[in-house]
Amino acid sequence: MEKLKKHQTIPFVDVSTEGNEADWARIGKSTIFDLTLNANTVTNDYIEDEMPTDEITYYKPTLSQELQTIKGDRAFDCLYDMLYNLPTGEDVKRDVLIVFAGNVGDESTPLFKAWKVKASVILTNLNTVDEKILFELSLGGTIEKGTATVSGGKPVFTAAA
């Protein structure tokens, strides 16, 4: 048995400019990691059952986050630029990579389950007193499942077969 630690599940955001290869920046200077699955349930009240039955039709995960206002942190710089420019529509969408804790490889070659997905970056507020920018990553479309390695703080994602 292994206890998974908070620093082992790593969210990354692609800070590259449009049309360029992914440039993953770790969202690390945060004290919040709240991945909410937001299951959509449908209740069916079948006549053969005494009580209704809930069925899950899909999930729409969101990841609430905050970042310390540290100029030079690549994830913060990207989000601070978005805050300044107040983008809308397609301009709020960024690729996000979540590397989950729990090595599924071996000691010499660590490998981790991962999700890669397009997310809408919903900026909620800038709190200069607490020195934080708060935002939510609304994971939309299709979550591409796979694995990732992380070396030198840089992830490499491989889609599942």
Side-chain angles (χ1 to χ4, degrees):
M1 291 178 55
E2 173 189 4
K3 186 173 184 176
L4 303 178
K5 308 281 185 179
K6 67 178 186 236
H7 68 278
Q8 295 171 317
T9 297
I10 310 169
F12 293 92
V13 62
D14 182 5
V15 297
S16 67
T17 55
E18 188 176 335
N20 291 325
E21 185 176 324
D23 183 11
W24 298 110
R26 181 178 185 166
I27 300 171
K29 299 299 182 195
S30 175
T31 58
I32 296 173
F33 185 100
D34 187 14
L35 180 61
T36 305
L37 298 178
N38 299 311
N40 185 69
T41 58
V42 174
T43 301
N44 293 301
D45 194 3
Y46 300 116
I47 59 172
E48 69 180 20
D49 296 333
E50 182 179 342
M51 294 178 290
T53 302
D54 286 340
E55 295 181 17
I56 297 173
T57 56
Y58 62 86
Y59 293 93
K60 187 172 182 334
T62 56
L63 178 58
S64 295
Q65 283 286 282
E66 66 179 17
L67 271 177
Q68 289 287 228
T69 55
I70 301 173
K71 186 177 177 183
D73 176 304
R74 294 178 333 113
F76 170 75
D77 290 346
C78 174
L79 292 166
Y80 195 56
D81 183 65
M82 288 179 75
L83 179 130
Y84 175 77
N85 287 302
L86 300 173
T88 58
E90 290 298 308
D91 293 336
V92 302
K93 295 187 179 166
R94 294 267 173 187
D95 283 333
V96 170
L97 181 65
I98 300 174
V99 179
F100 292 94
N103 184 8
V104 296
D106 56 47
E107 278 301 308
S108 62
T109 313
L111 185 66
F112 304 92
K113 291 181 178 181
W115 287 352
K116 182 179 169 191
V117 62
K118 186 72 74 176
S120 294
V121 179
I122 302 168
L123 300 163
T124 55
N125 63 309
L126 172 65
N127 184 328
T128 60
V129 174
D130 290 340
E131 300 173 342
K132 295 177 182 178
I133 187 170
L134 289 89
F135 60 100
E136 181 175 281
L137 299 172
S138 179
L139 311 184
T142 301
I143 295 174
E144 187 174 10
K145 296 175 182 141
T147 56
T149 58
V150 181
S151 178
K154 296 287 182 187
V156 175
F157 176 78
T158 304

mmCIF file of all heavy atoms in Angstrom, residues 36-70:
data_model
loop_
_atom_site.group_PDB
_atom_site.id
_atom_site.type_symbol
_atom_site.label_atom_id
_atom_site.label_comp_id
_atom_site.label_asym_id
_atom_site.label_seq_id
_atom_site.Cartn_x
_atom_site.Cartn_y
_atom_site.Cartn_z
ATOM 1 N N THR A 36 -13.661 18.429 -9.210
ATOM 2 C CA THR A 36 -15.061 18.082 -9.004
ATOM 3 C C THR A 36 -15.568 17.399 -10.266
ATOM 4 O O THR A 36 -15.420 17.941 -11.362
ATOM 5 C CB THR A 36 -15.887 19.352 -8.709
ATOM 6 O OG1 THR A 36 -15.299 20.030 -7.604
ATOM 7 C CG2 THR A 36 -17.321 19.006 -8.387
ATOM 8 N N LEU A 37 -16.146 16.220 -10.124
ATOM 9 C CA LEU A 37 -16.529 15.435 -11.300
ATOM 10 C C LEU A 37 -17.855 15.853 -11.911
ATOM 11 O O LEU A 37 -18.093 15.625 -13.091
ATOM 12 C CB LEU A 37 -16.538 13.951 -10.950
ATOM 13 C CG LEU A 37 -15.167 13.428 -10.515
ATOM 14 C CD1 LEU A 37 -15.254 11.962 -10.138
ATOM 15 C CD2 LEU A 37 -14.121 13.664 -11.586
ATOM 16 N N ASN A 38 -18.754 16.460 -11.143
ATOM 17 C CA ASN A 38 -20.025 16.965 -11.666
ATOM 18 C C ASN A 38 -20.774 15.926 -12.494
ATOM 19 O O ASN A 38 -21.061 16.124 -13.671
ATOM 20 C CB ASN A 38 -19.809 18.229 -12.503
ATOM 21 C CG ASN A 38 -19.198 19.348 -11.704
ATOM 22 O OD1 ASN A 38 -19.663 19.655 -10.623
ATOM 23 N ND2 ASN A 38 -18.125 19.937 -12.212
ATOM 24 N N ALA A 39 -21.106 14.810 -11.870
ATOM 25 C CA ALA A 39 -21.847 13.751 -12.560
ATOM 26 C C ALA A 39 -23.246 14.239 -12.916
ATOM 27 O O ALA A 39 -23.929 14.839 -12.095
ATOM 28 C CB ALA A 39 -21.937 12.513 -11.672
ATOM 29 N N ASN A 40 -23.666 13.984 -14.149
ATOM 30 C CA ASN A 40 -25.029 14.272 -14.564
ATOM 31 C C ASN A 40 -25.843 13.005 -14.330
ATOM 32 O O ASN A 40 -25.540 11.955 -14.888
ATOM 33 C CB ASN A 40 -25.082 14.668 -16.041
ATOM 34 C CG ASN A 40 -26.473 15.086 -16.445
ATOM 35 O OD1 ASN A 40 -26.946 16.122 -16.017
ATOM 36 N ND2 ASN A 40 -27.127 14.273 -17.264
ATOM 37 N N THR A 41 -26.838 13.119 -13.479
ATOM 38 C CA THR A 41 -27.641 11.942 -13.165
ATOM 39 C C THR A 41 -29.063 12.093 -13.695
ATOM 40 O O THR A 41 -29.605 13.196 -13.755
ATOM 41 C CB THR A 41 -27.704 11.690 -11.642
ATOM 42 O OG1 THR A 41 -28.236 12.850 -11.005
ATOM 43 C CG2 THR A 41 -26.336 11.376 -11.069
ATOM 44 N N VAL A 42 -29.614 10.978 -14.083
ATOM 45 C CA VAL A 42 -31.002 10.900 -14.527
ATOM 46 C C VAL A 42 -31.681 9.907 -13.595
ATOM 47 O O VAL A 42 -31.183 8.793 -13.393
ATOM 48 C CB VAL A 42 -31.101 10.434 -15.993
ATOM 49 C CG1 VAL A 42 -32.554 10.218 -16.403
ATOM 50 C CG2 VAL A 42 -30.421 11.414 -16.917
ATOM 51 N N THR A 43 -32.788 10.301 -13.037
ATOM 52 C CA THR A 43 -33.532 9.431 -12.133
ATOM 53 C C THR A 43 -34.646 8.730 -12.899
ATOM 54 O O THR A 43 -35.447 9.383 -13.568
ATOM 55 C CB THR A 43 -34.114 10.246 -10.961
ATOM 56 O OG1 THR A 43 -33.038 10.885 -10.269
ATOM 57 C CG2 THR A 43 -34.873 9.345 -9.993
ATOM 58 N N ASN A 44 -34.653 7.413 -12.796
ATOM 59 C CA ASN A 44 -35.702 6.606 -13.422
ATOM 60 C C ASN A 44 -36.506 5.930 -12.318
ATOM 61 O O ASN A 44 -35.936 5.286 -11.429
ATOM 62 C CB ASN A 44 -35.092 5.540 -14.346
ATOM 63 C CG ASN A 44 -34.423 6.175 -15.539
ATOM 64 O OD1 ASN A 44 -35.059 6.885 -16.302
ATOM 65 N ND2 ASN A 44 -33.130 5.932 -15.698
ATOM 66 N N ASP A 45 -37.800 6.068 -12.405
ATOM 67 C CA ASP A 45 -38.675 5.482 -11.398
ATOM 68 C C ASP A 45 -39.388 4.280 -12.036
ATOM 69 O O ASP A 45 -40.557 4.348 -12.427
ATOM 70 C CB ASP A 45 -39.685 6.527 -10.913
ATOM 71 C CG ASP A 45 -40.386 6.100 -9.638
ATOM 72 O OD1 ASP A 45 -40.046 5.020 -9.095
ATOM 73 O OD2 ASP A 45 -41.278 6.840 -9.186
ATOM 74 N N TYR A 46 -38.651 3.171 -12.141
ATOM 75 C CA TYR A 46 -39.178 1.970 -12.772
ATOM 76 C C TYR A 46 -40.308 1.378 -11.935
ATOM 77 O O TYR A 46 -40.237 1.337 -10.706
ATOM 78 C CB TYR A 46 -38.073 0.931 -12.963
ATOM 79 C CG TYR A 46 -36.934 1.420 -13.828
ATOM 80 C CD1 TYR A 46 -35.652 1.563 -13.308
ATOM 81 C CD2 TYR A 46 -37.148 1.737 -15.163
ATOM 82 C CE1 TYR A 46 -34.608 1.999 -14.099
ATOM 83 C CE2 TYR A 46 -36.109 2.174 -15.968
ATOM 84 C CZ TYR A 46 -34.831 2.307 -15.431
ATOM 85 O OH TYR A 46 -33.810 2.752 -16.219
ATOM 86 N N ILE A 47 -41.332 0.896 -12.605
ATOM 87 C CA ILE A 47 -42.486 0.375 -11.877
ATOM 88 C C ILE A 47 -42.158 -0.890 -11.093
ATOM 89 O O ILE A 47 -42.813 -1.200 -10.104
ATOM 90 C CB ILE A 47 -43.702 0.133 -12.814
ATOM 91 C CG1 ILE A 47 -43.352 -0.858 -13.915
ATOM 92 C CG2 ILE A 47 -44.198 1.432 -13.392
ATOM 93 C CD1 ILE A 47 -44.550 -1.291 -14.759
ATOM 94 N N GLU A 48 -41.132 -1.612 -11.492
ATOM 95 C CA GLU A 48 -40.788 -2.844 -10.778
ATOM 96 C C GLU A 48 -39.977 -2.592 -9.513
ATOM 97 O O GLU A 48 -39.811 -3.497 -8.697
ATOM 98 C CB GLU A 48 -40.022 -3.806 -11.687
ATOM 99 C CG GLU A 48 -38.637 -3.338 -12.046
ATOM 100 C CD GLU A 48 -37.894 -4.313 -12.949
ATOM 101 O OE1 GLU A 48 -38.530 -5.155 -13.612
ATOM 102 O OE2 GLU A 48 -36.667 -4.221 -12.992
ATOM 103 N N ASP A 49 -39.479 -1.363 -9.341
ATOM 104 C CA ASP A 49 -38.644 -1.051 -8.182
ATOM 105 C C ASP A 49 -39.423 -0.232 -7.154
ATOM 106 O O ASP A 49 -40.238 0.623 -7.511
ATOM 107 C CB ASP A 49 -37.400 -0.268 -8.602
ATOM 108 C CG ASP A 49 -36.487 -1.080 -9.496
ATOM 109 O OD1 ASP A 49 -36.500 -2.323 -9.388
ATOM 110 O OD2 ASP A 49 -35.764 -0.459 -10.305
ATOM 111 N N GLU A 50 -39.122 -0.462 -5.909
ATOM 112 C CA GLU A 50 -39.761 0.303 -4.833
ATOM 113 C C GLU A 50 -39.291 1.751 -4.837
ATOM 114 O O GLU A 50 -40.070 2.673 -4.598
ATOM 115 C CB GLU A 50 -39.438 -0.348 -3.482
ATOM 116 C CG GLU A 50 -40.100 0.337 -2.303
ATOM 117 C CD GLU A 50 -39.795 -0.341 -0.979
ATOM 118 O OE1 GLU A 50 -39.373 -1.511 -0.982
ATOM 119 O OE2 GLU A 50 -39.957 0.318 0.047
ATOM 120 N N MET A 51 -37.981 1.932 -5.100
ATOM 121 C CA MET A 51 -37.412 3.287 -5.086
ATOM 122 C C MET A 51 -36.828 3.628 -6.456
ATOM 123 O O MET A 51 -36.402 2.736 -7.193
ATOM 124 C CB MET A 51 -36.299 3.376 -4.039
ATOM 125 C CG MET A 51 -36.809 3.214 -2.623
ATOM 126 S SD MET A 51 -35.479 3.273 -1.421
ATOM 127 C CE MET A 51 -34.645 1.741 -1.739
ATOM 128 N N PRO A 52 -36.777 4.906 -6.809
ATOM 129 C CA PRO A 52 -36.168 5.314 -8.079
ATOM 130 C C PRO A 52 -34.683 4.954 -8.125
ATOM 131 O O PRO A 52 -34.020 4.813 -7.106
ATOM 132 C CB PRO A 52 -36.360 6.832 -8.096
ATOM 133 C CG PRO A 52 -37.478 7.097 -7.155
ATOM 134 C CD PRO A 52 -37.372 6.035 -6.100
ATOM 135 N N THR A 53 -34.172 4.849 -9.337
ATOM 136 C CA THR A 53 -32.777 4.516 -9.585
ATOM 137 C C THR A 53 -32.105 5.679 -10.305
ATOM 138 O O THR A 53 -32.650 6.207 -11.274
ATOM 139 C CB THR A 53 -32.682 3.260 -10.485
ATOM 140 O OG1 THR A 53 -33.354 2.191 -9.840
ATOM 141 C CG2 THR A 53 -31.241 2.879 -10.755
ATOM 142 N N ASP A 54 -30.934 6.066 -9.835
ATOM 143 C CA ASP A 54 -30.152 7.106 -10.512
ATOM 144 C C ASP A 54 -29.158 6.456 -11.464
ATOM 145 O O ASP A 54 -28.491 5.473 -11.120
ATOM 146 C CB ASP A 54 -29.382 7.961 -9.501
ATOM 147 C CG ASP A 54 -30.275 8.917 -8.745
ATOM 148 O OD1 ASP A 54 -31.382 9.200 -9.227
ATOM 149 O OD2 ASP A 54 -29.867 9.387 -7.670
ATOM 150 N N GLU A 55 -29.052 7.041 -12.653
ATOM 151 C CA GLU A 55 -28.069 6.601 -13.638
ATOM 152 C C GLU A 55 -27.227 7.804 -14.016
ATOM 153 O O GLU A 55 -27.737 8.915 -14.153
ATOM 154 C CB GLU A 55 -28.763 6.017 -14.865
ATOM 155 C CG GLU A 55 -29.527 4.744 -14.551
ATOM 156 C CD GLU A 55 -30.208 4.139 -15.773
ATOM 157 O OE1 GLU A 55 -29.847 4.495 -16.909
ATOM 158 O OE2 GLU A 55 -31.117 3.331 -15.566
ATOM 159 N N ILE A 56 -25.954 7.574 -14.180
ATOM 160 C CA ILE A 56 -25.039 8.646 -14.580
ATOM 161 C C ILE A 56 -24.914 8.614 -16.093
ATOM 162 O O ILE A 56 -24.584 7.581 -16.674
ATOM 163 C CB ILE A 56 -23.664 8.468 -13.911
ATOM 164 C CG1 ILE A 56 -23.819 8.563 -12.392
ATOM 165 C CG2 ILE A 56 -22.672 9.509 -14.430
ATOM 166 C CD1 ILE A 56 -22.574 8.229 -11.609
ATOM 167 N N THR A 57 -25.184 9.761 -16.731
ATOM 168 C CA THR A 57 -25.110 9.839 -18.192
ATOM 169 C C THR A 57 -23.777 10.404 -18.679
ATOM 170 O O THR A 57 -23.339 10.083 -19.773
ATOM 171 C CB THR A 57 -26.266 10.678 -18.757
ATOM 172 O OG1 THR A 57 -26.244 11.982 -18.154
ATOM 173 C CG2 THR A 57 -27.611 10.006 -18.468
ATOM 174 N N TYR A 58 -23.153 11.268 -17.886
ATOM 175 C CA TYR A 58 -21.827 11.794 -18.225
ATOM 176 C C TYR A 58 -21.262 12.555 -17.033
ATOM 177 O O TYR A 58 -21.965 12.826 -16.065
ATOM 178 C CB TYR A 58 -21.867 12.698 -19.463
ATOM 179 C CG TYR A 58 -22.723 13.938 -19.318
ATOM 180 C CD1 TYR A 58 -22.205 15.107 -18.754
ATOM 181 C CD2 TYR A 58 -24.044 13.953 -19.746
ATOM 182 C CE1 TYR A 58 -23.004 16.244 -18.607
ATOM 183 C CE2 TYR A 58 -24.836 15.077 -19.609
ATOM 184 C CZ TYR A 58 -24.307 16.216 -19.041
ATOM 185 O OH TYR A 58 -25.085 17.336 -18.899
ATOM 186 N N TYR A 59 -19.988 12.870 -17.140
ATOM 187 C CA TYR A 59 -19.304 13.719 -16.157
ATOM 188 C C TYR A 59 -18.860 14.993 -16.857
ATOM 189 O O TYR A 59 -18.536 14.981 -18.042
ATOM 190 C CB TYR A 59 -18.070 13.012 -15.587
ATOM 191 C CG TYR A 59 -18.391 11.801 -14.753
ATOM 192 C CD1 TYR A 59 -18.418 10.533 -15.312
ATOM 193 C CD2 TYR A 59 -18.660 11.922 -13.396
ATOM 194 C CE1 TYR A 59 -18.708 9.415 -14.544
ATOM 195 C CE2 TYR A 59 -18.950 10.808 -12.616
ATOM 196 C CZ TYR A 59 -18.959 9.562 -13.199
ATOM 197 O OH TYR A 59 -19.246 8.467 -12.433
ATOM 198 N N LYS A 60 -18.812 16.090 -16.125
ATOM 199 C CA LYS A 60 -18.275 17.350 -16.638
ATOM 200 C C LYS A 60 -17.354 17.921 -15.565
ATOM 201 O O LYS A 60 -17.724 18.811 -14.795
ATOM 202 C CB LYS A 60 -19.387 18.335 -16.981
ATOM 203 C CG LYS A 60 -18.812 19.563 -17.664
ATOM 204 C CD LYS A 60 -19.872 20.464 -18.192
ATOM 205 C CE LYS A 60 -19.318 21.663 -18.915
ATOM 206 N NZ LYS A 60 -18.007 22.127 -18.547
ATOM 207 N N PRO A 61 -16.123 17.392 -15.516
ATOM 208 C CA PRO A 61 -15.207 17.782 -14.445
ATOM 209 C C PRO A 61 -14.781 19.252 -14.514
ATOM 210 O O PRO A 61 -14.645 19.836 -15.593
ATOM 211 C CB PRO A 61 -13.992 16.879 -14.660
ATOM 212 C CG PRO A 61 -14.450 15.787 -15.564
ATOM 213 C CD PRO A 61 -15.564 16.361 -16.375
ATOM 214 N N THR A 62 -14.599 19.814 -13.337
ATOM 215 C CA THR A 62 -14.006 21.140 -13.197
ATOM 216 C C THR A 62 -12.896 21.040 -12.162
ATOM 217 O O THR A 62 -12.971 20.241 -11.227
ATOM 218 C CB THR A 62 -15.031 22.197 -12.746
ATOM 219 O OG1 THR A 62 -15.642 21.768 -11.532
ATOM 220 C CG2 THR A 62 -16.093 22.431 -13.806
ATOM 221 N N LEU A 63 -11.868 21.841 -12.343
ATOM 222 C CA LEU A 63 -10.741 21.865 -11.414
ATOM 223 C C LEU A 63 -10.561 23.290 -10.916
ATOM 224 O O LEU A 63 -10.120 24.163 -11.662
ATOM 225 C CB LEU A 63 -9.466 21.367 -12.083
ATOM 226 C CG LEU A 63 -8.190 21.369 -11.245
ATOM 227 C CD1 LEU A 63 -8.355 20.525 -9.985
ATOM 228 C CD2 LEU A 63 -7.010 20.874 -12.073
ATOM 229 N N SER A 64 -10.976 23.526 -9.665
ATOM 230 C CA SER A 64 -10.793 24.844 -9.062
ATOM 231 C C SER A 64 -9.332 24.994 -8.659
ATOM 232 O O SER A 64 -8.747 24.080 -8.077
ATOM 233 C CB SER A 64 -11.690 24.998 -7.833
ATOM 234 O OG SER A 64 -13.036 24.975 -8.229
ATOM 235 N N GLN A 65 -8.775 26.173 -8.973
ATOM 236 C CA GLN A 65 -7.369 26.420 -8.717
ATOM 237 C C GLN A 65 -7.145 27.864 -8.304
ATOM 238 O O GLN A 65 -8.007 28.720 -8.472
ATOM 239 C CB GLN A 65 -6.543 26.167 -9.989
ATOM 240 C CG GLN A 65 -6.307 24.714 -10.302
ATOM 241 C CD GLN A 65 -5.297 24.099 -9.380
ATOM 242 O OE1 GLN A 65 -4.102 24.282 -9.516
ATOM 243 N NE2 GLN A 65 -5.779 23.356 -8.401
ATOM 244 N N GLU A 66 -5.964 28.102 -7.800
ATOM 245 C CA GLU A 66 -5.485 29.446 -7.524
ATOM 246 C C GLU A 66 -3.991 29.422 -7.773
ATOM 247 O O GLU A 66 -3.361 28.368 -7.745
ATOM 248 C CB GLU A 66 -5.761 29.840 -6.081
ATOM 249 C CG GLU A 66 -4.961 28.994 -5.099
ATOM 250 C CD GLU A 66 -5.170 29.364 -3.647
ATOM 251 O OE1 GLU A 66 -6.148 30.050 -3.341
ATOM 252 O OE2 GLU A 66 -4.339 28.961 -2.838
ATOM 253 N N LEU A 67 -3.442 30.552 -8.031
ATOM 254 C CA LEU A 67 -1.989 30.662 -8.173
ATOM 255 C C LEU A 67 -1.522 31.883 -7.406
ATOM 256 O O LEU A 67 -2.183 32.925 -7.427
ATOM 257 C CB LEU A 67 -1.584 30.828 -9.640
ATOM 258 C CG LEU A 67 -1.342 29.567 -10.434
ATOM 259 C CD1 LEU A 67 -1.037 29.908 -11.878
ATOM 260 C CD2 LEU A 67 -0.232 28.730 -9.847
ATOM 261 N N GLN A 68 -0.416 31.707 -6.744
ATOM 262 C CA GLN A 68 0.218 32.858 -6.102
ATOM 263 C C GLN A 68 0.647 33.826 -7.200
ATOM 264 O O GLN A 68 1.017 33.411 -8.303
ATOM 265 C CB GLN A 68 1.445 32.437 -5.291
ATOM 266 C CG GLN A 68 1.104 31.672 -4.047
ATOM 267 C CD GLN A 68 0.513 32.550 -2.949
ATOM 268 O OE1 GLN A 68 0.937 32.472 -1.852
ATOM 269 N NE2 GLN A 68 -0.454 33.369 -3.223
ATOM 270 N N THR A 69 0.608 35.104 -6.909
ATOM 271 C CA THR A 69 0.968 36.129 -7.898
ATOM 272 C C THR A 69 2.485 36.267 -7.929
ATOM 273 O O THR A 69 3.052 37.203 -7.379
ATOM 274 C CB THR A 69 0.287 37.472 -7.575
ATOM 275 O OG1 THR A 69 0.615 37.833 -6.230
ATOM 276 C CG2 THR A 69 -1.219 37.382 -7.718
ATOM 277 N N ILE A 70 3.113 35.313 -8.597
ATOM 278 C CA ILE A 70 4.574 35.293 -8.702
ATOM 279 C C ILE A 70 4.951 35.531 -10.164
ATOM 280 O O ILE A 70 4.837 34.625 -11.004
ATOM 281 C CB ILE A 70 5.163 33.963 -8.200
ATOM 282 C CG1 ILE A 70 4.767 33.724 -6.737
ATOM 283 C CG2 ILE A 70 6.671 33.949 -8.371
ATOM 284 C CD1 ILE A 70 5.143 32.368 -6.201
#
